[in-house]
Amino acid sequence: MAVTRLEQPHHHQQHIVVMRHGDRLDNVDRSWPATAPKRWDPPLAEVGRARARETAKQLPYQLGFPIHRIVVSPFRRCIDTALGLIAGLSALGEDPNAVTNDNGIDPSKVKVSIEYGLSEMFNDVAIKYPPTNPVDHADWKFNNPEIEALIPIDTLDRTVKSVFNELPHWGESEPKARDRYLHTIHSLADRYPSENLLLITHGEAVKVTVSTHLEDGASFRIRMDYCGYAQLTRQLIQNGDELDASEFELLGNYGQTGIHCLPRMPN
């Protein structure tokens, strides 16, 4: 008599890291915007590139899990941060004295893609020097082939379908930006349930991530360092073709990852 073997549900945790970019050039060199062709899209300063490389070296020890995929805002400072992280891990792999493990980012395996849903909050509070006609997306000169050309060909994943295919509408409010960030984060997590993701974005997105998942988050003022990051985790149960996911939880180690939650003073 044939015996039917019942598949046991498979349990695993998914981790999402939401990171702010490194030090932007216009905050280091105040004269840069005066002659820059795209004043609204500064690259990283050298100190920012160094910070990204150093952050990459610390990730294997801080995270405790591997990163399978990096998803990046199209702004140059975020692209440069991703490249700095990958360079930092590549240098670590070439160091014969380095202690390596399976955590953090493996530059030989990780895939990188661009996501417009992770863009900067799209208003004149967050972006000091917009183009002449900011409502017209063409004026921002975000050219996908040019952006993708910055990423090593063996790392770039062109097969990914973006959550958002274009920049937000100019004049975006904080609540709309919050909704966009949360929708993007949850959509990417659901799209890659078996992968741990590193999302490289802007300070507002990190703040939204923390305030949304922190108990009584509205009672705190949230600040983050350059390359500061928040970690979300959830439990996934795969039972045949069905996938059940718990709600995301914010890991409580944000004080060690460049996130600062300061109690709001009463009025």
Side-chain angles (χ1 to χ4, degrees), residues 54-240:
E54 186 59 32
T55 299
K57 295 175 184 178
Q58 300 303 318
L59 284 179
Y61 310 98
Q62 292 178 338
L63 293 184
F65 52 83
I67 292 294
H68 304 106
R69 184 176 296 274
I70 301 175
V71 188
V72 191
S73 159
F75 282 74
R76 180 64 185 265
R77 54 193 178 272
C78 296
I79 302 294
D80 286 350
T81 301
L83 297 177
L85 289 169
I86 292 170
L89 263 296
S90 297
L92 187 64
E94 294 167 3
D95 182 355
N97 299 315
V99 178
T100 59
N101 54 38
D102 293 331
N103 300 326
I105 305 167
D106 183 341
S108 69
K109 297 178 182 178
V110 74
K111 291 299 180 183
V112 178
S113 60
I114 309 301
E115 173 54 62
Y116 280 82
L118 296 175
S119 295
E120 178 68 277
M121 186 163 61
F122 219 53
N123 59 37
D124 57 8
V125 175
I127 301 175
K128 297 183 225 176
Y129 307 107
T132 305
N133 183 14
V135 175
D136 185 355
H137 284 173
D139 267 20
W140 292 85
K141 300 177 183 176
F142 279 97
N143 180 290
N144 272 8
E146 288 181 7
I147 296 170
E148 292 177 345
L150 299 169
I151 302 170
I153 190 67
D154 55 344
T155 302
L156 177 66
D157 188 350
R158 286 196 177 94
T159 67
V160 172
K161 183 180 178 182
S162 298
V163 179
F164 288 87
N165 295 315
E166 61 181 9
L167 292 165
H169 294 297
W170 181 248
E172 183 179 43
S173 65
E174 279 194 35
K176 284 189 175 180
R178 175 185 180 278
D179 291 345
R180 168 170 62 85
Y181 288 134
L182 291 176
H183 177 70
T184 300
I185 292 167
H186 292 164
S187 296
L188 290 169
D190 289 344
R191 187 174 294 175
Y192 304 104
S194 63
E195 299 183 17
N196 299 324
L197 310 182
L198 169 58
L199 312 182
I200 301 177
T201 178
H202 305 266
E204 186 67 21
V206 182
K207 183 176 81 171
V208 164
T209 301
V210 175
S211 63
T212 301
H213 298 91
L214 179 66
E215 185 177 355
D216 202 18
S219 301
F220 296 91
R221 290 183 297 111
I222 297 165
R223 300 286 183 266
M224 68 290 307
D225 300 334
Y226 285 122
C227 289
Y229 60 89
Q231 295 175 239
L232 300 176
T233 186
R234 66 176 177 175
Q235 186 75 23
L236 296 173
I237 303 174
Q238 183 81 48
N239 193 352

